Amino acid sequence: PDWVPGKVFFIDGTQIIAPLNYNAFNERVELLNEKGEKWTPNKTIVGFILGGTEIGKGSYFRNGYRSAQFFELLYHGKQGDLVRQVVAKTRAKREFNDANTTVYFDLYENYFLSDTNGQLTPVKRTKKFWSAITPESNQILAQTKNNLDDWDKVIDLLEKVNY
């Protein structure tokens, strides 16, 4: 695993700063103690920061959208959030006449809009999708020549429509 500086927020309001790793395969936060041993907290985690110890200085993940799953918060707005879910799935490959099986971990990213109740809607980077979400997006996309070809441009649109 890649151990990076991080901060974990627990449901009881306590926090811990430690090297951590997010295991996308089993959706668990793993930490290293002072001896370099891996451990998993037994308290409920409500969020964590990977790559830093302050929000804005690393990638902020939180749960509450669905039980036992963490989503990276990409944009927080008045009407909801844009979040990314990273999921790892395994794939086994065995060559013809070979007794050995190689297991691969493939990472998949899913993007969602979350409303203020935590309800998730899968997101597409198309003008048709965004015009259904917010009608003023058509005008803004035409004025700014935003073709939504990456997620930073989607975030830019959300900021402009004051989502």
Side-chain angles (χ1 to χ4, degrees):
D2 295 327
W3 299 98
V4 297
K7 187 176 202 176
V8 180
F9 304 92
F10 297 101
I11 197 163
D12 64 5
T14 59
Q15 305 171 6
I16 188 169
I17 295 174
L20 61 94
N21 173 61
Y22 178 62
N23 186 327
F25 181 67
N26 63 17
E27 298 181 2
R28 289 194 339 207
V29 176
E30 301 167 338
L31 295 99
L32 284 182
N33 65 17
E34 300 81 25
K35 298 177 185 176
E37 299 166 331
K38 178 177 80 168
W39 65 284
T40 302
N42 56 6
K43 292 195 281 185
T44 302
I45 297 172
V46 295
F48 63 93
I49 302 170
L50 270 179
T53 57
E54 298 175 38
I55 295 176
K57 303 282 184 181
S59 298
Y60 178 56
F61 292 77
R62 68 181 194 187
N63 67 4
Y65 302 104
R66 293 187 194 166
S67 63
Q69 294 182 334
F70 288 97
F71 294 83
E72 181 180 5
L73 180 63
L74 301 175
Y75 173 82
H76 177 68
K78 294 176 183 175
Q79 299 176 50
D81 303 332
L82 175 65
V83 296
R84 172 176 44 204
Q85 177 190 38
V86 179
V87 178
K89 296 184 180 177
T90 58
R91 172 176 49 96
K93 183 178 180 183
R94 189 166 82 192
E95 299 296 329
F96 182 72
N97 277 343
D98 190 354
N100 298 323
T101 300
T102 305
V103 177
Y104 297 94
F105 288 90
D106 297 326
L107 292 177
Y108 296 93
E109 293 181 346
N110 301 308
Y111 293 81
F112 300 93
L113 274 180
S114 169
D115 63 18
T116 54
N117 296 321
Q119 184 66 32
L120 296 169
T121 303
V123 172
K124 295 181 183 176
R125 284 191 333 228
T126 64
K127 292 180 181 182
K128 181 178 179 182
F129 174 84
W130 288 104
S131 62
I133 297 293
T134 171
E136 64 268 27
S137 65
N138 281 338
Q139 181 182 358
I140 291 169
L141 290 171
Q143 289 172 350
T144 61
K145 296 184 172 57
N146 183 343
N147 57 7
L148 302 172
D149 58 350
D150 63 44
W151 292 102
D152 287 336
K153 291 185 179 178
V154 171
I155 292 168
D156 185 53
L157 174 65
L158 289 170
E159 290 171 346
K160 285 185 171 44
V161 298
N162 202 17
Y163 185 81

